[in-house]
C-alpha cells in the first residue's frame, strides 16, 4: 500500500507517526536561516544543487533514527530514473546519492508552497504538522543506506517489540533473523498504521520462522499467538511474491489479530454482529453471510473476518468499500477514526472515473446454494471404478459483465490430498440468468474410495467481483478409487548424518551431492531441498523427482540411501549455501496414501553448509527503465475479442543477462487488475528492438470488447530473469532472480483514458 497523502496537517490525519517528520511552524520556518553545513556534524559535504532545508532535515532525521554510521557526503545528482537513492561506502566516508526526481517525491515543491503559507509575514499560529513522504524514497533510503542491524535496532526501539526469541526460549532454534528486505517491509507497514491503532495492538514479539520450514500449523503462512502476544512469519508470508506483494497483506492481517485482542468485548461483538449471530455462546454466520466478505478466508470465524477486513482497509480499500461496505463503515468509525486509504486508482492519483455504470457489484444466486446446485455421481457397471460426475448451478445473476467460469473441488473427507477439481462453464439462459455446468470423469488411479465433500463456490463475474457460497448442508457423495487411505511408514531422519559433498562443476555449473540417511522406497515421489543464500539474503530450492531415470537421483537400488545431485546456476555470484529444510513427498499407492514429510534443519549445523564457486561477485538481472516507457494505441482485432490494444515500449537493462518473463498489471477505473504476461518463449511474445544502441522491449496488451470508460493506471511489472537450463543437469528452481517494480513507488505515473472504446491521454 503506497500512501499518497504526502503532507497532512496532524489535526486532520496522522499517518506514519513512527517514522514521519513532525515539525512545528517555528521549527519549519527556522530551517530557512540554517546553512547547509549547520545541519549535522555527520555531514562533511553537500554536492550538487541546493535542496529545500526540510529535505535535509528529513535526511538527518533518518540517519539519526537508524544510527547509520558516517561521516556522510550527500550528492544531489542530475540523474533521472527509477533509482531514487543509492550509496557508496568508503573507508573514510559514506556517500549517499539522490536522483534529480527524488526531491520531487520528497515534496520539494509542496514544501515551498507550505513555506509561503505558514512562514509569510503576518501568518499566525503554531500548529504542528506532519511531513509524510511517499514510501518509496524512505524504502529505497533504508534499503540502500541502512544496515540490517540498524533497522532491527530502530524497529525494536520504536515499537518495544522483540524480533526473535531468546536462546533457551520456546522455538528459538526454529527462528532466524529477519532479512533486510523484510525489516524494510515491516517498517513500511508501520508507516501506514496510525498511532492510535498501533497503541492498541497486543504485540510483544515478531519473529521470522526459518527458511523452508513449515509453521506449527502447516497450512498457515503466519500465526498470531494470543497468550504470548507474538506473531511468527514464514517464507510464504514474506517471500512468496505470487501470493502477496512482499507479504504486506499478511503482515497487516496478523496485526489485525493483535488489534482485535486489544479491544473490548463490546467492540468485538458489535463487529461480529454485522455478518454473524451468537447461538448458545457460539458465533454462526447469518443466513445472508455469503455476502459482505472481502475473501473466502474471512468467512472462517469473526476473528478471521476482522483480521481480513482490517488488512483490506489499508491494503485493498476500494475492494473493501465495494464488497463489504458495512464493515468498511465500522472500521472507519470505530477503529481508523477519520483515516481513509486509497490505492493508485482513486483519490491518491487524483483519477476521475468517467464511466457512469462501473461494474462493482458481485454476482448472486437467486436462492441459496443448497437450492441451486445439482451434483450427480454415477459409477460405471464394470471393474474400472470410474465415475461420471455432473455438476450444475442454476439461477446465477449479474447486473453487467456476466458470470465467469468457476472452479470448485470435491475433497475426500478422510484425506484432503485426494481431490477432484471441477471446472465449470457459464451458460446464459433464455430468462437472462446464468448456469454453471461441468461434466467430468473421475480418475480412480489418483483417488481413494470414500465420501467426498463439495467445497465453497466462488461465484465471480467478468469484472472480477466475487461472492462466496459455502456448501454447508450439501450431502457428501461416494466416489470409488484404487488408492489407499493407510498412512505410510516413516523413518526419522538423523540430521547429523546428512552429508553434503562438492561435485565437480559441469560446463561451469557448480554442484553439491546430498546424501540422506534413509532408504529409497518405491512410494517416494520427490524431495524438495531448500537452500539459504546468506550473502544474497534469499533462498532457492531443488525439486528432485525420484525416478531413477531422472539425473538428480544417484541412488541405484531400492533400499539404498537416497543420494541427490544438485547443480546451481552459473550466473549466481560465488556464495556460501546452507541446507535449511527438506520435504519428502510420497505418492499414493494401493498400499499407502499420499503423504508429505517436512524436516527443518536446526540452526547450528555447520556440516550442512558448503560453498559454490562461479567466479562471479554479482548477480546480473534483467531490468526495465520504466521512467522511459512509451505508450501507443493500436487498433486491431485481438485474442480477447476486442479491437483496442495498448502497445508498451520500455528500454531493457542487461538485456543479454538471460531470457525474460514479465507480467504487467494495469488497474482499471474501478480498481480491477488487468494482467498480461510477456515471455520470450511464450505465446504472448514481445520483441526486442535495438535503437541507437539501446534495446527496447515492445509488446501489446489486448483489451476486451466494450472496456470500461475512465482512466487506467499502469501499476507494476514483475520481472523474472530466466537463465538457460542445462538439459542434462538438475538445476535449482531459481527463486532469486525475480523483482517487482511498482511505478507509483518510484514516483512514476503512466496512464491512459478510454472513452467510447477510444484511447486518449496516453501519459
Amino acid at each position: 500500500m503506497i500512501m499518497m497523502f504526502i503532507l497532512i496537517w496532524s489535526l486532520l490525519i496522522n499517518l506514519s507517526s513512527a517514522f514521519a517528520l513532525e515539525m512545528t511552524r517555528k521549527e519549519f520556518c527556522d530551517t530557512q536561516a540554517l546553512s547547509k553545513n549547520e545541519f549535522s556534524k555527520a555531514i562533511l559535504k553537500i554536492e550538487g544543487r541546493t535542496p529545500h532545508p526540510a529535505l535535509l532535515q528529513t535526511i538527518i532525521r533518518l540517519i539519526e533514527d537508524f544510527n547509520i554510521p558516517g561521516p556522510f557526503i550527500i550528492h544531489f545528482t542530475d540523474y533521472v530514473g527509477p533509482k531514487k537513492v543509492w550509496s557508496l561506502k568508503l573507508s573514510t566516508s559514506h556517500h549517499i546519492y539522490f536522483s534529480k526526481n527524488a526531491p520531487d517525491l520528497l515534496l520539494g515543491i509542496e514544501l515551498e508552497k507550505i513555506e509561503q503559507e505558514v512562514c509569510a509575514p503576518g501568518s499566525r499560529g503554531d500548529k504542528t504538522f506532519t511531513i509524510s513522504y511517499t514510501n518509496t524514497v524512505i524504502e529505497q533510503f533504508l534499503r540502500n543506506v541502512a544496515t540490517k542491524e540498524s533497522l532491527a535496532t530502530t524497529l525494536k526501539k520504536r515499537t518495544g517489540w522483540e524480533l526473535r526469541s531468546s536462546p533457551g526460549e520456546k522455538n528459538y532454534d526454529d527462528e532466524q533473523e529477519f532479512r533486510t528486505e523484510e525489516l524494510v517491509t515491516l517498517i513500511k507497514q508501520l508507516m501506514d498504521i496510525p498511532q492510535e491503532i498501533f497503541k492498541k495492538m497486543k504485540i510483544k514479539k515478531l519473529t521470522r520462522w526459518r527458511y523452508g520450514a513449515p509453521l506449527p500449523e502447516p497450512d498457515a503462512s503466519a500465526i498470531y499467538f494470543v497468550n504470548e502476544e507474538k506473531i511468527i512469519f514464514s517464507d510464504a508470508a514474506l517471500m512468496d511474491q505470487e501470493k502477496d506483494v512482499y507479504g504486506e497483506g499478511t503482515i497487516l492481517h496478523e496485526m489485525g489479530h493483535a488489534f482485535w485482542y486489544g479491544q473490548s468485548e463490546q467492540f468485538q461483538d458489535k463487529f461480529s454482529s454485522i455478518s454473524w449471530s451468537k447461538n448458545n455462546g457460539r458465533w454462526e454466520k447469518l443466513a445472508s453471510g455469503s455476502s459482505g466478505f472481502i475473501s473466502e478466508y474471512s468467512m472462517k470465524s469473526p476473528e478471521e473476518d476482522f483480521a481480513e477486513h482490517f488488512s483490506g482497509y489499508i491494503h485493498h480499500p476500494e475492494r473493501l468499500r465495494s464488497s463489504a461496505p458495512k464493515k468498511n463503515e465500522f472500521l472507519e468509525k470505530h477503529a481508523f477514526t477519520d483515516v481513509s486509504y486509497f490505492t493508485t486508482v482513486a483519490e491518491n492519483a487524483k483519477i476521475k472515473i468517467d464511466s457512469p455504470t462501473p461494474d462493482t457489484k458481485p454476482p448472486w444466486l437467486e436462492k441459496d446454494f443448497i437450492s441451486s446446485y445439482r451434483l450427480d455421481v454415477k459409477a460405471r457397471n464394470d471393474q474400472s471404478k470410474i465415475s461420471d460426475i455432473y455438476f450444475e448451478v442454476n439461477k446465477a445473476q449479474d447486473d453487467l459483465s456476466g458470470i465467469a467460469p468457476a472452479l470448485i473441488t470435491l475433497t475426500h473427507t478422510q484425506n484432503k490430498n485426494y481431490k477432484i477439481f471441477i471446472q465449470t462453464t457459464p451458460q446464459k439462459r433464455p430468462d437472462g440468468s446464468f448456469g454453471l455446468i461441468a461434466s467430468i470423469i473421475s480418475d480412480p488411479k489418483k483417488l481413494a474410495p470414500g465420501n467426498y465433500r463439495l467445497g465453497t463456490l466462488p461465484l465471480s463475474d467478468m469484472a472480477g467481483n466475487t461472492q462466496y457460497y459455502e456448501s454447508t448442508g450439501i450431502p457428501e457423495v461416494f466416489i470409488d478409487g484404487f488408492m489407499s487411505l493407510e498412512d505410510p511408514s516413516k523413518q526419522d531422519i538423523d540430521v547429523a548424518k546428512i552429508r553434503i559433498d562438492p561435485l565437480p562443476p559441469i560446463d561451469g555449473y557448480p554442484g553439491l551431492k546430498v546424501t540422506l540417511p534413509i532408504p529409497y522406497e518405491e512410494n517416494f515421489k520427490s524431495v524438495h531441498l531448500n537452500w539459504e543464500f546468506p550473502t544474497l539474503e534469499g533462498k532457492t530450492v531443488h525439486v528432485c523427482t525420484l525416478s531413477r531415470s531422472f539425473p538428480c537421483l544417484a541412488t541405484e537400488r531400492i533400499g539404498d540411501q537416497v543420494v541427490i545431485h544438485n547443480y546451481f546456476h552459473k550466473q549466481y555470484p560465488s556464495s556460501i549455501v546452507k541446507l535449511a529444510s527438506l520435504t519428502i513427498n510420497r505418492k499414493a499407492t494401493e498400499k499407502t496414501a499420499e503423504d508429505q514429510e517436512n524436516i527443518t534443519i536446526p540452526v547450528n549445523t555447520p556440516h550442512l553448509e558448503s560453498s559454490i564457486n562461479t567466479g562471479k561477485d554479482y548477480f546480473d538481472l534483467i531490468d526495465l527503465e520504466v521512467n522511459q516507457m512509451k505508450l501507443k494505441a493500436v487498433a486491431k482485432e485481438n485474442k480477447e475479442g476486442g479491437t483496442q490494444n495498448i502497445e508498451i515500449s520500455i528500454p531493457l537493462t542487461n538485456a543479454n543477462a538471460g531470457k525474460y518473463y514479465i507480467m504487467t498489471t494495469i488497474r482499471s477505473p474501478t480498481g480491477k487488475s488487468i494482467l498480461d504476461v510477456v515471455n520470450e518463449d511464450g505465446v504472448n511474445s514481445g520483441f526486442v528492438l535495438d535503437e541507437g544502441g539501446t534495446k527496447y522491449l515492445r509488446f501489446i496488451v489486448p483489451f476486451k470488447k466494450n472496456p470500461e470508460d475512465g482512466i487506467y493506471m499502469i501499476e507494476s511489472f514483475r520481472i523474472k530473469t530466466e537463465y538457460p537450463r542445462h538439459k542434462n543437469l538438475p538445476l535449482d528452481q531459481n527463486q532469486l532472480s525475480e523483482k517487482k517494480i511498482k511505478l507509483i513507488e518510484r514516483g512514476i505515473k503512466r496512464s491512459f483514458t478510454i472513452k467510447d472504446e477510444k484511447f486518449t491521454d496516453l501519459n
Side-chain angles (χ1 to χ4, degrees), residues 414-418 448 483-490 523 585-596:
Q414 292 180 254
N415 188 324
K416 65 180 182 181
N417 290 319
Y418 294 116
M483 299 297 101
S484 173
L485 287 169
E486 292 293 325
D487 292 332
S489 60
K490 303 176 187 177
N523 67 337
N585 295 297
R586 295 176 173 85
K587 61 187 176 183
T589 69
E590 296 183 15
K591 296 179 180 179
T592 58
E594 182 177 344
D595 182 72
Q596 184 179 88

PDB file of all heavy atoms in Angstrom, residues 414-418 448 483-490 523 585-596:
ATOM      1  N   GLN A 414     -11.628 -37.962   4.595  1.00  0.00           N
ATOM      2  CA  GLN A 414     -10.624 -38.515   5.497  1.00  0.00           C
ATOM      3  C   GLN A 414      -9.209 -38.079   5.154  1.00  0.00           C
ATOM      4  O   GLN A 414      -8.348 -38.020   6.030  1.00  0.00           O
ATOM      5  CB  GLN A 414     -10.696 -40.050   5.492  1.00  0.00           C
ATOM      6  CG  GLN A 414     -11.968 -40.612   6.108  1.00  0.00           C
ATOM      7  CD  GLN A 414     -11.978 -42.124   6.062  1.00  0.00           C
ATOM      8  OE1 GLN A 414     -12.694 -42.732   5.274  1.00  0.00           O
ATOM      9  NE2 GLN A 414     -11.165 -42.749   6.895  1.00  0.00           N
ATOM     10  N   ASN A 415      -8.954 -37.782   3.903  1.00  0.00           N
ATOM     11  CA  ASN A 415      -7.613 -37.388   3.478  1.00  0.00           C
ATOM     12  C   ASN A 415      -7.755 -36.313   2.402  1.00  0.00           C
ATOM     13  O   ASN A 415      -8.135 -36.601   1.266  1.00  0.00           O
ATOM     14  CB  ASN A 415      -6.834 -38.591   2.926  1.00  0.00           C
ATOM     15  CG  ASN A 415      -5.377 -38.270   2.656  1.00  0.00           C
ATOM     16  OD1 ASN A 415      -5.029 -37.169   2.225  1.00  0.00           O
ATOM     17  ND2 ASN A 415      -4.493 -39.239   2.893  1.00  0.00           N
ATOM     18  N   LYS A 416      -7.445 -35.065   2.768  1.00  0.00           N
ATOM     19  CA  LYS A 416      -7.663 -33.939   1.861  1.00  0.00           C
ATOM     20  C   LYS A 416      -6.713 -33.928   0.672  1.00  0.00           C
ATOM     21  O   LYS A 416      -6.863 -33.095  -0.236  1.00  0.00           O
ATOM     22  CB  LYS A 416      -7.556 -32.621   2.620  1.00  0.00           C
ATOM     23  CG  LYS A 416      -6.178 -32.326   3.182  1.00  0.00           C
ATOM     24  CD  LYS A 416      -6.177 -30.996   3.928  1.00  0.00           C
ATOM     25  CE  LYS A 416      -4.788 -30.668   4.462  1.00  0.00           C
ATOM     26  NZ  LYS A 416      -4.780 -29.391   5.205  1.00  0.00           N
ATOM     27  N   ASN A 417      -5.708 -34.832   0.648  1.00  0.00           N
ATOM     28  CA  ASN A 417      -4.832 -34.907  -0.519  1.00  0.00           C
ATOM     29  C   ASN A 417      -5.550 -35.492  -1.732  1.00  0.00           C
ATOM     30  O   ASN A 417      -5.106 -35.307  -2.868  1.00  0.00           O
ATOM     31  CB  ASN A 417      -3.598 -35.759  -0.199  1.00  0.00           C
ATOM     32  CG  ASN A 417      -2.659 -35.064   0.769  1.00  0.00           C
ATOM     33  OD1 ASN A 417      -2.426 -33.861   0.648  1.00  0.00           O
ATOM     34  ND2 ASN A 417      -2.135 -35.799   1.742  1.00  0.00           N
ATOM     35  N   TYR A 418      -6.647 -36.206  -1.495  1.00  0.00           N
ATOM     36  CA  TYR A 418      -7.432 -36.749  -2.602  1.00  0.00           C
ATOM     37  C   TYR A 418      -8.501 -35.728  -2.971  1.00  0.00           C
ATOM     38  O   TYR A 418      -9.441 -35.478  -2.202  1.00  0.00           O
ATOM     39  CB  TYR A 418      -8.069 -38.078  -2.203  1.00  0.00           C
ATOM     40  CG  TYR A 418      -7.070 -39.188  -1.965  1.00  0.00           C
ATOM     41  CD1 TYR A 418      -6.924 -39.758  -0.708  1.00  0.00           C
ATOM     42  CD2 TYR A 418      -6.275 -39.660  -3.002  1.00  0.00           C
ATOM     43  CE1 TYR A 418      -6.011 -40.774  -0.483  1.00  0.00           C
ATOM     44  CE2 TYR A 418      -5.345 -40.675  -2.785  1.00  0.00           C
ATOM     45  CZ  TYR A 418      -5.217 -41.226  -1.519  1.00  0.00           C
ATOM     46  OH  TYR A 418      -4.309 -42.224  -1.315  1.00  0.00           O
ATOM     47  N   ALA A 448      -8.785 -42.315  -3.619  1.00  0.00           N
ATOM     48  CA  ALA A 448      -9.104 -43.372  -2.673  1.00  0.00           C
ATOM     49  C   ALA A 448     -10.618 -43.478  -2.559  1.00  0.00           C
ATOM     50  O   ALA A 448     -11.323 -42.470  -2.692  1.00  0.00           O
ATOM     51  CB  ALA A 448      -8.491 -43.071  -1.307  1.00  0.00           C
ATOM     52  N   MET A 483      -6.649 -46.155  -4.782  1.00  0.00           N
ATOM     53  CA  MET A 483      -5.589 -45.785  -3.860  1.00  0.00           C
ATOM     54  C   MET A 483      -5.983 -46.063  -2.409  1.00  0.00           C
ATOM     55  O   MET A 483      -7.159 -46.205  -2.070  1.00  0.00           O
ATOM     56  CB  MET A 483      -5.226 -44.311  -4.027  1.00  0.00           C
ATOM     57  CG  MET A 483      -4.709 -43.938  -5.414  1.00  0.00           C
ATOM     58  SD  MET A 483      -3.165 -44.742  -5.871  1.00  0.00           S
ATOM     59  CE  MET A 483      -3.718 -46.064  -6.945  1.00  0.00           C
ATOM     60  N   SER A 484      -4.955 -46.098  -1.543  1.00  0.00           N
ATOM     61  CA  SER A 484      -5.152 -46.478  -0.141  1.00  0.00           C
ATOM     62  C   SER A 484      -5.316 -45.253   0.748  1.00  0.00           C
ATOM     63  O   SER A 484      -4.894 -44.148   0.398  1.00  0.00           O
ATOM     64  CB  SER A 484      -3.950 -47.296   0.337  1.00  0.00           C
ATOM     65  OG  SER A 484      -4.033 -47.552   1.729  1.00  0.00           O
ATOM     66  N   LEU A 485      -5.914 -45.472   1.921  1.00  0.00           N
ATOM     67  CA  LEU A 485      -6.007 -44.434   2.948  1.00  0.00           C
ATOM     68  C   LEU A 485      -5.051 -44.696   4.107  1.00  0.00           C
ATOM     69  O   LEU A 485      -5.010 -43.925   5.072  1.00  0.00           O
ATOM     70  CB  LEU A 485      -7.445 -44.363   3.492  1.00  0.00           C
ATOM     71  CG  LEU A 485      -8.480 -43.735   2.554  1.00  0.00           C
ATOM     72  CD1 LEU A 485      -9.889 -43.959   3.090  1.00  0.00           C
ATOM     73  CD2 LEU A 485      -8.218 -42.243   2.383  1.00  0.00           C
ATOM     74  N   GLU A 486      -4.261 -45.773   4.023  1.00  0.00           N
ATOM     75  CA  GLU A 486      -3.322 -46.113   5.092  1.00  0.00           C
ATOM     76  C   GLU A 486      -2.123 -45.171   5.070  1.00  0.00           C
ATOM     77  O   GLU A 486      -1.548 -44.895   4.008  1.00  0.00           O
ATOM     78  CB  GLU A 486      -2.828 -47.556   4.921  1.00  0.00           C
ATOM     79  CG  GLU A 486      -3.898 -48.618   5.138  1.00  0.00           C
ATOM     80  CD  GLU A 486      -4.366 -48.669   6.588  1.00  0.00           C
ATOM     81  OE1 GLU A 486      -3.538 -48.441   7.488  1.00  0.00           O
ATOM     82  OE2 GLU A 486      -5.566 -48.928   6.810  1.00  0.00           O
ATOM     83  N   ASP A 487      -1.745 -44.660   6.245  1.00  0.00           N
ATOM     84  CA  ASP A 487      -0.569 -43.798   6.336  1.00  0.00           C
ATOM     85  C   ASP A 487       0.693 -44.609   6.076  1.00  0.00           C
ATOM     86  O   ASP A 487       0.843 -45.731   6.587  1.00  0.00           O
ATOM     87  CB  ASP A 487      -0.471 -43.148   7.717  1.00  0.00           C
ATOM     88  CG  ASP A 487      -1.576 -42.138   7.951  1.00  0.00           C
ATOM     89  OD1 ASP A 487      -2.050 -41.556   6.967  1.00  0.00           O
ATOM     90  OD2 ASP A 487      -1.967 -41.940   9.121  1.00  0.00           O
ATOM     91  N   PRO A 488       1.635 -44.050   5.297  1.00  0.00           N
ATOM     92  CA  PRO A 488       2.880 -44.788   5.038  1.00  0.00           C
ATOM     93  C   PRO A 488       3.776 -44.794   6.272  1.00  0.00           C
ATOM     94  O   PRO A 488       3.717 -43.897   7.115  1.00  0.00           O
ATOM     95  CB  PRO A 488       3.524 -43.989   3.899  1.00  0.00           C
ATOM     96  CG  PRO A 488       2.981 -42.607   4.054  1.00  0.00           C
ATOM     97  CD  PRO A 488       1.586 -42.768   4.592  1.00  0.00           C
ATOM     98  N   SER A 489       4.594 -45.823   6.383  1.00  0.00           N
ATOM     99  CA  SER A 489       5.570 -45.865   7.475  1.00  0.00           C
ATOM    100  C   SER A 489       6.701 -44.899   7.169  1.00  0.00           C
ATOM    101  O   SER A 489       7.074 -44.694   6.014  1.00  0.00           O
ATOM    102  CB  SER A 489       6.112 -47.285   7.632  1.00  0.00           C
ATOM    103  OG  SER A 489       6.737 -47.708   6.430  1.00  0.00           O
ATOM    104  N   LYS A 490       7.243 -44.270   8.207  1.00  0.00           N
ATOM    105  CA  LYS A 490       8.304 -43.278   8.029  1.00  0.00           C
ATOM    106  C   LYS A 490       9.466 -43.591   8.964  1.00  0.00           C
ATOM    107  O   LYS A 490       9.272 -44.163  10.046  1.00  0.00           O
ATOM    108  CB  LYS A 490       7.789 -41.875   8.336  1.00  0.00           C
ATOM    109  CG  LYS A 490       6.598 -41.441   7.507  1.00  0.00           C
ATOM    110  CD  LYS A 490       6.108 -40.071   7.967  1.00  0.00           C
ATOM    111  CE  LYS A 490       4.822 -39.688   7.269  1.00  0.00           C
ATOM    112  NZ  LYS A 490       4.286 -38.394   7.749  1.00  0.00           N
ATOM    113  N   ASN A 523       7.446 -45.842  -3.010  1.00  0.00           N
ATOM    114  CA  ASN A 523       6.396 -44.820  -2.977  1.00  0.00           C
ATOM    115  C   ASN A 523       6.950 -43.402  -2.902  1.00  0.00           C
ATOM    116  O   ASN A 523       6.192 -42.448  -2.761  1.00  0.00           O
ATOM    117  CB  ASN A 523       5.439 -45.069  -1.801  1.00  0.00           C
ATOM    118  CG  ASN A 523       6.103 -44.868  -0.449  1.00  0.00           C
ATOM    119  OD1 ASN A 523       7.321 -44.964  -0.328  1.00  0.00           O
ATOM    120  ND2 ASN A 523       5.303 -44.617   0.569  1.00  0.00           N
ATOM    121  N   ASN A 585       8.026 -36.024  -0.393  1.00  0.00           N
ATOM    122  CA  ASN A 585       6.666 -36.296  -0.853  1.00  0.00           C
ATOM    123  C   ASN A 585       6.556 -37.759  -1.266  1.00  0.00           C
ATOM    124  O   ASN A 585       7.360 -38.245  -2.071  1.00  0.00           O
ATOM    125  CB  ASN A 585       6.308 -35.399  -2.034  1.00  0.00           C
ATOM    126  CG  ASN A 585       6.254 -33.940  -1.643  1.00  0.00           C
ATOM    127  OD1 ASN A 585       5.435 -33.541  -0.827  1.00  0.00           O
ATOM    128  ND2 ASN A 585       7.138 -33.136  -2.218  1.00  0.00           N
ATOM    129  N   ARG A 586       5.566 -38.437  -0.689  1.00  0.00           N
ATOM    130  CA  ARG A 586       5.308 -39.828  -1.033  1.00  0.00           C
ATOM    131  C   ARG A 586       4.011 -39.909  -1.838  1.00  0.00           C
ATOM    132  O   ARG A 586       3.012 -39.305  -1.463  1.00  0.00           O
ATOM    133  CB  ARG A 586       5.226 -40.683   0.228  1.00  0.00           C
ATOM    134  CG  ARG A 586       6.554 -40.766   0.993  1.00  0.00           C
ATOM    135  CD  ARG A 586       6.391 -41.540   2.299  1.00  0.00           C
ATOM    136  NE  ARG A 586       7.666 -41.769   2.958  1.00  0.00           N
ATOM    137  CZ  ARG A 586       8.272 -40.905   3.767  1.00  0.00           C
ATOM    138  NH1 ARG A 586       7.685 -39.734   4.014  1.00  0.00           N
ATOM    139  NH2 ARG A 586       9.436 -41.183   4.318  1.00  0.00           N
ATOM    140  N   LYS A 587       4.048 -40.658  -2.905  1.00  0.00           N
ATOM    141  CA  LYS A 587       2.875 -40.756  -3.769  1.00  0.00           C
ATOM    142  C   LYS A 587       1.897 -41.795  -3.235  1.00  0.00           C
ATOM    143  O   LYS A 587       2.256 -42.696  -2.462  1.00  0.00           O
ATOM    144  CB  LYS A 587       3.298 -41.107  -5.189  1.00  0.00           C
ATOM    145  CG  LYS A 587       4.024 -42.432  -5.312  1.00  0.00           C
ATOM    146  CD  LYS A 587       4.554 -42.631  -6.715  1.00  0.00           C
ATOM    147  CE  LYS A 587       5.362 -43.920  -6.817  1.00  0.00           C
ATOM    148  NZ  LYS A 587       5.957 -44.087  -8.170  1.00  0.00           N
ATOM    149  N   ALA A 588       0.639 -41.652  -3.637  1.00  0.00           N
ATOM    150  CA  ALA A 588      -0.382 -42.607  -3.246  1.00  0.00           C
ATOM    151  C   ALA A 588      -0.203 -43.910  -4.023  1.00  0.00           C
ATOM    152  O   ALA A 588       0.094 -43.910  -5.220  1.00  0.00           O
ATOM    153  CB  ALA A 588      -1.762 -42.024  -3.503  1.00  0.00           C
ATOM    154  N   THR A 589      -0.368 -45.014  -3.324  1.00  0.00           N
ATOM    155  CA  THR A 589      -0.330 -46.333  -3.953  1.00  0.00           C
ATOM    156  C   THR A 589      -1.536 -47.131  -3.457  1.00  0.00           C
ATOM    157  O   THR A 589      -2.326 -46.654  -2.643  1.00  0.00           O
ATOM    158  CB  THR A 589       0.968 -47.086  -3.603  1.00  0.00           C
ATOM    159  OG1 THR A 589       0.948 -47.429  -2.204  1.00  0.00           O
ATOM    160  CG2 THR A 589       2.192 -46.226  -3.891  1.00  0.00           C
ATOM    161  N   GLU A 590      -1.647 -48.359  -3.917  1.00  0.00           N
ATOM    162  CA  GLU A 590      -2.734 -49.208  -3.443  1.00  0.00           C
ATOM    163  C   GLU A 590      -2.494 -49.693  -2.018  1.00  0.00           C
ATOM    164  O   GLU A 590      -3.386 -50.249  -1.386  1.00  0.00           O
ATOM    165  CB  GLU A 590      -2.913 -50.399  -4.390  1.00  0.00           C
ATOM    166  CG  GLU A 590      -3.348 -49.986  -5.793  1.00  0.00           C
ATOM    167  CD  GLU A 590      -3.588 -51.175  -6.700  1.00  0.00           C
ATOM    168  OE1 GLU A 590      -3.705 -52.306  -6.176  1.00  0.00           O
ATOM    169  OE2 GLU A 590      -3.666 -50.984  -7.930  1.00  0.00           O
ATOM    170  N   LYS A 591      -1.267 -49.444  -1.501  1.00  0.00           N
ATOM    171  CA  LYS A 591      -0.933 -49.885  -0.145  1.00  0.00           C
ATOM    172  C   LYS A 591      -0.912 -48.729   0.853  1.00  0.00           C
ATOM    173  O   LYS A 591      -1.273 -48.909   2.023  1.00  0.00           O
ATOM    174  CB  LYS A 591       0.434 -50.578  -0.139  1.00  0.00           C
ATOM    175  CG  LYS A 591       0.481 -51.853  -0.961  1.00  0.00           C
ATOM    176  CD  LYS A 591       1.871 -52.463  -0.912  1.00  0.00           C
ATOM    177  CE  LYS A 591       1.938 -53.747  -1.735  1.00  0.00           C
ATOM    178  NZ  LYS A 591       3.312 -54.342  -1.712  1.00  0.00           N
ATOM    179  N   THR A 592      -0.470 -47.549   0.414  1.00  0.00           N
ATOM    180  CA  THR A 592      -0.354 -46.401   1.327  1.00  0.00           C
ATOM    181  C   THR A 592      -0.874 -45.135   0.658  1.00  0.00           C
ATOM    182  O   THR A 592      -0.886 -45.023  -0.569  1.00  0.00           O
ATOM    183  CB  THR A 592       1.114 -46.171   1.746  1.00  0.00           C
ATOM    184  OG1 THR A 592       1.914 -45.957   0.577  1.00  0.00           O
ATOM    185  CG2 THR A 592       1.650 -47.361   2.528  1.00  0.00           C
ATOM    186  N   ALA A 593      -1.254 -44.164   1.495  1.00  0.00           N
ATOM    187  CA  ALA A 593      -1.809 -42.907   0.997  1.00  0.00           C
ATOM    188  C   ALA A 593      -0.702 -41.920   0.658  1.00  0.00           C
ATOM    189  O   ALA A 593       0.456 -42.075   1.064  1.00  0.00           O
ATOM    190  CB  ALA A 593      -2.739 -42.296   2.044  1.00  0.00           C
ATOM    191  N   GLU A 594      -1.085 -40.894  -0.080  1.00  0.00           N
ATOM    192  CA  GLU A 594      -0.167 -39.793  -0.359  1.00  0.00           C
ATOM    193  C   GLU A 594       0.205 -39.103   0.947  1.00  0.00           C
ATOM    194  O   GLU A 594      -0.610 -38.976   1.859  1.00  0.00           O
ATOM    195  CB  GLU A 594      -0.820 -38.800  -1.312  1.00  0.00           C
ATOM    196  CG  GLU A 594       0.054 -37.630  -1.716  1.00  0.00           C
ATOM    197  CD  GLU A 594      -0.632 -36.731  -2.720  1.00  0.00           C
ATOM    198  OE1 GLU A 594      -1.634 -37.171  -3.316  1.00  0.00           O
ATOM    199  OE2 GLU A 594      -0.168 -35.599  -2.898  1.00  0.00           O
ATOM    200  N   ASP A 595       1.454 -38.647   1.030  1.00  0.00           N
ATOM    201  CA  ASP A 595       1.915 -38.069   2.298  1.00  0.00           C
ATOM    202  C   ASP A 595       3.040 -37.079   2.026  1.00  0.00           C
ATOM    203  O   ASP A 595       3.737 -37.166   1.018  1.00  0.00           O
ATOM    204  CB  ASP A 595       2.413 -39.176   3.234  1.00  0.00           C
ATOM    205  CG  ASP A 595       2.871 -38.645   4.581  1.00  0.00           C
ATOM    206  OD1 ASP A 595       2.007 -38.239   5.378  1.00  0.00           O
ATOM    207  OD2 ASP A 595       4.085 -38.598   4.808  1.00  0.00           O
ATOM    208  N   GLN A 596       3.184 -36.134   2.954  1.00  0.00           N
ATOM    209  CA  GLN A 596       4.273 -35.157   2.881  1.00  0.00           C
ATOM    210  C   GLN A 596       4.942 -35.064   4.242  1.00  0.00           C
ATOM    211  O   GLN A 596       4.278 -34.931   5.265  1.00  0.00           O
ATOM    212  CB  GLN A 596       3.739 -33.784   2.468  1.00  0.00           C
ATOM    213  CG  GLN A 596       4.826 -32.730   2.278  1.00  0.00           C
ATOM    214  CD  GLN A 596       4.263 -31.400   1.844  1.00  0.00           C
ATOM    215  OE1 GLN A 596       3.899 -30.569   2.667  1.00  0.00           O
ATOM    216  NE2 GLN A 596       4.175 -31.196   0.529  1.00  0.00           N
TER     217      GLN A 596
END
